Amino acid sequence: MRRTENLILLCIFVLFTAILTAQQLCDGNLGINIFSDGDFGQGGPNILLPDPQIAPGYLYNTNPPPFDGSYTITNNTDEWTNIYPSWIRVGDNSDDPNGYMMVVNASFEPGLFYEKDITGLCENTLYQFSADVINIVRFQIDTHIKPVVDFLIDDVVRFSTGDIPQNEKWNTYGFTFTTNPGQTTLKLSLRNNAPGGRGNDLALDNISFQACGPSAFVNAEQTLFLCENDNNPIDIIAEITALDQAILWQISRDKVNWVNLPDETNPTIQHNNFEVGNYFYRYLTAGTSIELMNEKCHIFSDILTLTVLPLE
């Protein structure tokens, strides 16, 4: 009887572990990253000063490499003169040569190395919590512990990466979840869940928390061309996989600065400007018109590029 009970417990444990590691990233469109500092910023100095105080229970080390139980915010480990022989030299996971990342030498006991409170959320809304992680131990080393990172919401583990491979590549991990009725605040945490010592060394970047919505497109072809003498308005059509979504259209001339079109809330609008140049269209969408006005709740559609060509 005892053996049967043990087998049942083992099966439950294996199933629970599989569920934790099988969560999926958002397969629709995303909103803004609510973590404005989730990429750790950027700067000229190789090491960020002063202590950012983002890792409960970890010490901040400004003289790299960090020792067990400490971390460093840096833009590139290639500039370190005393890097551990088993570590790779790597920059942050962006196109910015001065972008910072968080390098963690995990503590001997599992513990939190990132924590943040989020407020102003929408209830009953799907969100994605994700991060880019790299195992910074060289792939030739086969005697080191591989990192495991747990993602927690309000101190409860909701997703685990499993062993992060020594492939010398950044890997994106994360999952989606829905806020509860009435829930507008929560605490997000990342936890080391492998023993420290030899190995269990990693870097983090691009920690993100974003609203996740249905796939949202603008016209099937995504690119339209007109001539300056066409003079016939053309329909711009929202194609969205969910019903009863609130919509607000936006326009941009540079794909960076966007302007709301406050009267354009229907799935179809018209373009009637035939001045030569590029016009970019997208729309915000959310479950209700109230959520549409909350940047922590709406998502962005894909972008349509409309180009008006000059006559030759």
Side-chain angles (χ1 to χ4, degrees):
M1 188 69 172
R2 169 87 47 190
R3 182 180 178 184
T4 301
E5 291 175 350
N6 289 339
L7 285 174
I8 292 173
L9 290 174
L10 177 60
C11 290
I12 292 173
F13 173 77
V14 171
L15 177 61
F16 179 69
T17 301
I19 291 172
L20 282 179
T21 57
Q23 302 287 339
Q24 296 297 315
L25 293 170
C26 179
D27 59 2
N29 283 47
L30 294 166
I32 65 164
N33 181 13
I34 298 170
F35 276 156
S36 60
D37 55 356
D39 62 358
F40 303 103
Q42 61 93 229
N46 180 245
I47 303 298
L48 176 68
L49 297 174
D51 181 356
Q53 299 182 345
I54 57 175
Y58 275 68
L59 298 175
Y60 189 61
N61 190 321
T62 59
N63 185 26
F67 47 83
D68 284 321
S70 68
Y71 71 103
T72 298
I73 305 296
T74 182
N75 52 32
N76 201 321
T77 63
D78 192 43
E79 298 184 26
W80 297 1
T81 57
N82 296 317
I83 191 169
Y84 297 122
S86 60
W87 283 17
I88 62 174
R89 297 181 180 272
V90 63
D92 91 311
N93 193 27
S94 77
D95 296 328
D96 186 347
N98 294 320
Y100 284 127
M101 61 183 169
M102 180 182 188
V103 176
V104 181
N105 193 334
S107 60
F108 286 95
E109 298 295 332
L112 298 177
F113 51 72
Y114 194 87
E115 190 170 74
K116 190 173 183 70
D117 293 325
I118 303 295
T119 61
L121 302 176
C122 288
E123 61 179 344
N124 298 314
T125 298
L126 187 66
Y127 288 95
Q128 173 181 282
F129 181 21
S130 66
D132 294 340
V133 188
I134 184 171
N135 185 333
I136 58 175
V137 175
R138 293 187 292 114
F139 74 88
Q140 299 97 332
I141 307 297
D142 60 4
T143 58
H144 282 40
I145 300 165
K146 292 181 174 63
V148 176
V149 177
D150 288 342
F151 289 66
L152 294 81
I153 298 176
D154 292 331
D155 300 320
V156 176
V157 177
R158 300 290 296 273
F159 172 74
S160 182
T161 62
D163 288 346
I164 297 172
Q166 287 173 219
N167 57 8
E168 301 188 11
K169 295 179 181 179
W170 287 95
N171 306 275
T172 300
Y173 296 96
F175 68 106
T176 58
F177 72 99
T178 302
T179 49
N180 296 320
Q183 182 180 21
T184 59
T185 65
L186 52 77
K187 180 172 65 176
L188 304 178
S189 310
L190 295 173
R191 183 179 71 185
N192 155 49
N193 197 24
R198 186 182 295 272
N200 195 14
D201 307 313
L202 67 149
L204 287 165
D205 203 5
N206 303 321
I207 302 173
S208 301
F209 185 72
Q210 300 164 276
C212 168
S215 296
F217 305 97
V218 185
N219 291 49
E221 55 268 43
Q222 299 290 298
T223 304
L224 296 175
F225 294 96
L226 302 174
C227 291
E228 62 178 325
N229 67 339
D230 281 344
N231 295 323
N232 291 317
I234 185 171
D235 286 344
I236 309 296
I237 303 170
E239 298 180 1
I240 190 166
T241 58
L243 300 176
D244 301 323
Q245 289 284 110
I247 287 176
L248 176 64
W249 286 92
Q250 293 184 320
I251 189 171
S252 173
R253 295 302 301 271
D254 58 9
K255 218 173 182 178
V256 175
N257 300 292
W258 292 89
V259 177
N260 289 340
L261 301 174
D263 297 327
E264 302 292 0
T265 58
N266 293 317
T268 301
I269 64 172
Q270 287 190 327
H271 176 86
N272 54 15
N273 186 341
F274 294 92
E275 179 183 346
V276 172
N278 291 320
Y279 302 82
F280 303 99
Y281 286 94
R282 72 180 183 188
Y283 55 91
L284 312 178
T285 182
T288 67
S289 57
I290 295 177
E291 293 175 351
L292 191 65
M293 296 298 102
N294 185 340
E295 66 176 5
K296 297 180 180 180
C297 304
H298 64 228
I299 66 166
F300 300 105
S301 74
D302 291 351
I303 295 173
L304 169 75
T305 301
L306 188 151
T307 300
V308 178
L309 302 170
L311 293 175
E312 296 183 357

